[in-house]
Amino acid sequence: QVQLVESGGGLVQAGGSLILSCAASGRTSSSDAMAWFRQAPGKEREFVAAIMRDGDRTYYGDSMKGRFTISRDNAKNTAYLRINTLKPEDTAAYYCAAGPDLGLGSFTPYDYWGQGTQVTVSS
């Protein structure tokens, strides 16, 4: 089992930046792939970004390229998501996920999920 705990969310003004963190514990060998998803009220869950353990392979949702940057620190078993130039439409619950590296990129199936951290962007 892998436990994932997100942090870093909050209320931010539009135009600002935010860094979300996802700390993994437990069987961290099962978190070769780590990713971020988000879900806004009344909308479906949306893929944001994923990163493999080597740190070199990163994947972004089509509408996420440019303002979102995913990274990870394997020594700390932590993944990060930096969001720049926040917009009100970025308001959502952001979830961290972990799973195997199957070479599927953004289509990786994730076995473990965090509880989410809320990001609210005011205009």
Side-chain angles (χ1 to χ4, degrees), residues 4-6 93-96 113-117:
L4 301 171
V5 178
E6 303 97 333
Y94 284 72
Y95 297 91
C96 178
W113 294 83
Q115 293 298 307
T117 185

Side-chain angles (χ1 to χ4, degrees), residues 8-91:
L11 176 62
V12 188
Q13 284 192 332
S17 297
L18 205 60
I19 298 177
L20 305 181
S21 299
C22 172
S25 61
R27 190 179 177 185
T28 55
S29 60
S30 297
S31 59
D32 286 341
M34 296 187 74
W36 289 93
F37 290 77
R38 71 181 185 182
Q39 188 166 21
K43 294 188 177 181
E44 293 186 353
R45 186 174 64 194
E46 184 177 26
F47 171 73
V48 177
I51 186 168
M52 301 304 122
R53 185 174 293 277
D54 58 18
D56 294 327
R57 288 173 290 152
T58 58
Y59 309 90
Y60 293 90
D62 289 341
S63 63
M64 310 300 171
K65 296 175 183 177
R67 297 189 298 115
F68 295 79
T69 304
I70 191 170
S71 61
R72 67 188 290 169
D73 184 336
N74 292 329
K76 296 182 178 179
N77 294 313
T78 300
Y80 305 94
L81 182 70
R82 180 179 179 91
I83 313 173
N84 291 327
T85 318
L86 280 154
K87 303 177 181 181
E89 50 264 43
D90 293 322
T91 295

